[in-house]
Amino acid sequence: MAPRTAAHDAPDPVSEPAAEGGPRTGPPEAPDRTPPRGLVQRIVRGRPEDPGWARPALLALLAVTAVLYVWDLSASKYANQFYSAAVQAGSVSWKAFFFGSSDAANSITVDKPPASLWPMALSVRLFGLNPWAVLVPQALMGVAAVGVLYATVRRRFGAAAGLLSAGALAITPVAALMFRYNNPDALLCLLMVCAVACVLRALEAGRTKWLLLAGLCFGLGFLTKTLQAWLILPAVAVVYACCAPVALRKRVGQLLLAGLVLVISGGWWVAIDELLPASARPYVGSSQTNSFLDLTFGYNGLGRISGNERAGAAGGGGHHGSGGFGGHGQTGLTRLFSSDMGGQISWLLPAALILLVVAVCVLWRARRAVAAEQAAQRAEFLVWGGALLMTFTIFSFMSGIFHQYYNIALSPYIAALVGMGTVLVWRRGGWLARIVLAAVVGTTAVWSYVLLARSPHWLPWLKWVVLVVGLLAALGLLLAAGGVREGAPERRRPAGAVTAVAAGLGLAAALAGPLAYTLNTVNTAKGGGMVLAGPAVQGAGGFPGGLGGMRGQGGAKGGMPGGAAGRHEGGAGAAGGQGFPGGFPGGMAGAGHGGTHKGGMGEEATVSAAAQRLVEQDADHYTWAAAAIGSQSAASYQLATQKPVMPVGGFMGSDPSPTLAQFQRYVAEGKIHYFIVSERGFHGLGGAKGAGGADGKRAGGPGAPGGFGQKGPSSQISAWVEKTFKKVTAGGATFYDLTQKKA
């Protein structure tokens, strides 16, 4: 054997080349004499190191994403009226803008901090109140998230990986749903992508400024959806502490500084809200103590994990928890693969988990020549993978409120891992790469078949096409003699024709299912607080005990309690089960089994022209043109008239705001004109007889103590108004004129 020389120990710059656009290893190259590109040329042509097709492909992807997210956007009208009413209020009152008030007269806030409302409220200030002005900012956030994800993945893994990741995010059904909707999750998703991007930039050379920017993103995320923004903090902090290429003391100092930025950027608004006297600000919606900290750590915080939400709907009973108003799916590792969750997010989840494990194992055995580059790539997999695993675990086992659309939080992590992992394995080549890619494609095809089979009457041919094409592609990848072989680029041969075709078919099969779901989503009007992506799914019910299918396009045969059907025919829900004591508060409107939608649970409600004219009459002479029990009823009238309407009791009518004494004082001072007797949602909370049991047939009984029928300020106010003031009707709706007492 020949003796080793210095040449044997020198780094081999081509044995494991860096990904396109990533940091290079090996001997220094000759200086680049290419003149720097101008801004326009940089936008059109991209970075000099990128292949010529990369930037045009990115621009095309962003353009298609923008069209996808704004297509027929106004069909959903004001989407979730609960938040749209707050947007309207913030567009006419800076105080309401700052606090996130439900109405411009600042009686009560929504149940979240206000950051997600700010872009929409500014848009409405500029363009007037209309669905486009409310929803377009959300769509633009989606396009921005796709672009940031591309740039982040491309930086170290190349343009191909970036495009695959960005495209996977763009067509994830729950992402397409939320980026066309006005819930806080759109802004939260964008901020989390930006936070991870900043952490990864900081990891490259231990740069403090990027870590501080990550802290800023996490702080703004807190002002968007409180503690959900911090789910991935432990994972990214641990990876940075272990992997950043600087001294341990500096790493600790950087993390502490980033934590300080996080506290300041997320805490300044909280400090103002907490330090102001209660009389100088609106009541904190969905809290029972008029405290944002109580809301943060109770209803919006630990209560979501334990299921012991103390507010939001039912006083002591909890309104969405496992012991209150319906659970939110069986907890456990299979939760996100279940009938009502799987089609929202899990299409590429098995592939992401497989590629994460393989990539970490492969990169752990770093060769000396490229140890730094492989270590950096490994750190990126750990950040994205840690974020995925933390979020997946918490979502799988949390016992409190959990809506299907929360799964948008997982979408960028899954997409990044799929793009990075696929390209990493493809470039390594060899028999191991073929086995891994074949397993990924085959598993994804089989799982897509399962998900599509849950909607047997919707595109029934698609599941077979996906299954057959996917399995053939997996077989082609496994058996093809071509492919990329290990070694330096000049020693590698191009992928054989069979391998290239198999890879293309595998990609098409993997993305066909989520793309079809997404196209169905953007072509279907959505509304309400429990919105879902995709078609109707068999066996998917929002609540246990057979409470019916609040599903797909909004329909719910068997329906919600009282039979609240959506605006579109849905799939057949499960047979109704036991009725709630007292039914739903005042009953969800509708007759059960496909009953007429009347705006329950945040759905779009129609206000007649006559009722609108009545509420608008002399409205400018009053602080509130009207008042109604619960935000759903108040929001529909506020959006129709653009006048302040007080939501008595907040979202579900259960908040102690205002008290009976406060309401009586407002009436005596001439601040409220009408009291709305609503058939749209939650009027009658607190002892009103429910309109139906869970099967939409039986009448509800009297309210149960501590539950929906709990006597409280809302029921006291309703009883006092009905006993004291004159009833008037307009357009089939009933009102009480608070300026005219009964004779």
Side-chain angles (χ1 to χ4, degrees):
M1 179 181 294
R4 295 186 61 84
T5 65
H8 286 87
D9 295 324
D12 178 4
V14 295
S15 62
E16 288 286 347
E20 309 169 36
R24 306 291 179 179
T25 58
E29 299 177 356
D32 185 3
R33 304 295 183 185
T34 306
R37 293 178 175 177
L39 178 62
V40 175
Q41 191 178 22
R42 176 78 172 270
I43 293 173
V44 175
R45 298 290 300 276
R47 296 177 178 271
E49 63 268 25
D50 284 345
W53 52 263
R55 185 51 56 97
L58 171 63
L59 295 177
L61 174 61
L62 295 178
V64 171
T65 303
V67 171
L68 188 69
Y69 288 173
V70 302
W71 180 264
D72 200 18
L73 196 57
S74 62
S76 296
K77 298 185 179 178
Y78 289 113
N80 191 338
Q81 290 189 346
F82 176 59
Y83 292 118
S84 289
V87 169
Q88 183 276 329
S91 71
V92 297
S93 165
W94 286 114
K95 182 176 181 180
F97 177 92
F98 181 82
F99 288 107
S101 300
S102 290
D103 59 279
N106 294 287
S107 63
I108 194 169
T109 71
V110 297
D111 61 352
K112 299 289 186 296
S116 67
L117 302 173
W118 291 342
M120 293 182 283
L122 291 174
S123 175
V124 172
R125 277 185 179 268
L126 289 173
F127 303 109
L129 181 64
N130 60 78
W132 280 88
V134 173
L135 298 177
V136 163
Q138 306 292 90
L140 295 178
M141 290 176 196
V143 177
V146 169
V148 173
L149 184 62
Y150 166 84
T152 304
V153 173
R154 184 218 65 86
R155 187 170 180 83
R156 193 168 294 276
F157 291 89
L163 286 169
L164 181 55
S165 297
L169 173 59
I171 65 169
T172 299
V174 71
L177 172 70
M178 283 292 101
F179 286 132
R180 294 168 50 85
Y181 218 67
N182 59 333
N183 283 21
D185 303 78
L187 178 59
L188 181 65
C189 182
L190 172 60
L191 288 170
M192 292 303 95
V193 174
C194 291
V196 172
C198 291
V199 169
L200 295 178
R201 289 296 298 271
L203 272 169
E204 289 182 0
R207 298 167 182 165
T208 302
K209 69 175 183 179
W210 287 107
L211 204 60
L212 300 184
L213 286 173
L216 176 63
C217 291
F218 281 116
L220 294 177
F222 178 83
L223 290 183
T224 300
K225 210 174 179 188
T226 59
L227 296 179
Q228 186 180 331
W230 295 355
L231 293 185
I232 67 173
L233 262 178
V236 298
V238 167
V239 174
Y240 189 85
C242 296
C243 299
V246 292
L248 178 60
R249 175 180 293 183
K250 184 174 182 179
R251 279 177 260 164
V252 173
Q254 289 173 324
L255 288 171
L256 291 175
L257 280 175
L260 179 62
V261 171
L262 180 154
V263 170
I264 293 173
S265 60
W268 65 273
W269 183 91
V270 179
I272 293 173
D273 190 76
E274 286 290 308
L275 294 175
L276 279 175
S279 60
R281 57 169 175 78
Y283 186 93
V284 179
S286 292
S287 75
Q288 295 296 295
T289 62
N290 196 13
S291 166
F292 184 78
L293 291 178
D294 172 61
L295 176 68
T296 298
F297 294 104
Y299 174 66
N300 275 343
L302 299 179
R304 301 291 175 113
I305 305 297
S306 66
N308 185 30
E309 298 95 355
R310 294 187 295 115
H319 100 265
H320 284 81
S322 56
F325 157 46
H328 288 263
Q330 187 68 37
T331 59
L333 288 176
T334 62
R335 183 186 208 176
L336 303 189
F337 299 93
S338 63
S339 295
D340 56 347
M341 302 280 182
Q344 309 298 301
I345 188 62
S346 71
W347 301 88
L348 298 176
L349 181 54
L353 295 174
I354 293 172
L355 290 168
L356 172 63
V357 172
V358 171
V360 171
C361 291
V362 167
L363 294 173
W364 211 268
R365 300 167 54 200
R367 300 179 183 177
R368 291 182 58 189
V370 287
E373 173 63 15
Q374 287 197 353
Q377 290 182 341
R378 183 173 66 233
E380 296 211 8
F381 272 102
L382 292 176
V383 169
W384 289 112
L388 172 62
L389 294 176
M390 285 290 297
T391 308
F392 174 85
T393 302
I394 293 173
F395 281 5
S396 295
F397 291 97
M398 60 187 286
S399 300
I401 298 172
F402 185 76
H403 295 308
Q404 292 89 337
Y405 62 79
Y406 291 178
N407 286 307
I408 186 180
L410 292 161
S411 57
Y413 315 144
I414 294 172
L417 290 171
V418 167
M420 294 158 49
T422 299
V423 170
L424 176 74
V425 173
W426 174 264
R427 285 181 179 154
R428 289 189 67 86
W431 64 269
L432 178 60
R434 293 200 298 272
I435 292 175
V436 171
L437 291 176
V440 167
V441 170
T443 301
T444 302
V446 171
W447 181 238
S448 294
Y449 173 87
V450 173
L451 293 175
L452 291 168
R454 292 173 177 174
S455 303
H457 303 298
W458 176 75
L459 302 181
W461 53 268
L462 182 60
K463 62 179 179 290
W464 294 108
V465 172
V466 168
L467 180 65
V468 172
V469 171
L471 292 180
L472 287 176
L475 187 63
L477 288 169
L478 188 63
L479 301 180
V484 185
R485 296 188 303 183
E486 288 190 80
E490 62 269 23
R491 297 198 297 270
R492 297 183 180 185
R493 65 183 177 185
V498 174
T499 304
V501 170
L505 291 176
L507 183 62
L511 299 182
L515 177 59
Y517 248 64
T518 293
L519 292 176
N520 174 274
T521 300
V522 302
N523 280 293
T524 305
K526 303 292 180 181
M530 294 190 231
V531 67
L532 293 160
V537 173
Q538 280 189 338
F543 305 91
L547 294 188
M550 185 77 173
R551 185 69 194 107
Q553 297 157 336
K557 290 188 178 181
M560 294 277 293
R567 286 172 286 134
H568 300 275
E569 178 86 9
Q578 187 71 25
F580 287 114
F584 232 77
M588 296 287 282
H593 294 284
T596 303
H597 163 70
K598 290 191 178 180
M601 209 58 178
E603 300 269 352
E604 184 76 28
T606 301
V607 175
S608 68
Q612 179 179 337
R613 286 194 300 269
L614 180 70
V615 174
E616 289 175 338
Q617 179 182 341
D618 297 326
D620 293 337
H621 295 140
Y622 300 88
T623 304
W624 292 277
I629 302 295
S631 296
Q632 314 305 326
S633 299
S636 61
Y637 280 90
Q638 182 169 304
L639 290 169
T641 64
Q642 300 192 41
K643 305 296 182 183
V645 178
M646 176 189 290
V648 176
F651 177 60
M652 296 283 282
S654 65
D655 295 344
S657 172
T659 64
L660 175 60
Q662 287 173 326
F663 190 85
Q664 290 172 331
R665 186 174 72 250
Y666 293 147
V667 173
E669 294 171 351
K671 292 185 175 182
I672 311 173
H673 195 177
Y674 292 105
F675 184 86
I676 302 168
V677 178
S678 176
E679 296 178 0
R680 299 174 171 88
F682 304 109
H683 170 61
L685 178 66
K689 184 179 179 181
D695 57 4
K697 295 179 179 178
R698 288 171 292 171
F708 283 108
Q710 178 183 3
K711 290 186 178 294
S714 297
S715 62
Q716 295 168 3
I717 290 170
S718 180
W720 175 72
V721 167
E722 293 173 6
K723 181 176 65 175
T724 308
F725 296 97
K726 182 179 178 180
K727 182 186 296 186
V728 295
T729 60
T734 302
F735 304 83
Y736 286 90
D737 188 339
L738 302 183
T739 66
Q740 298 185 44
K741 292 188 177 181
K742 287 183 177 180

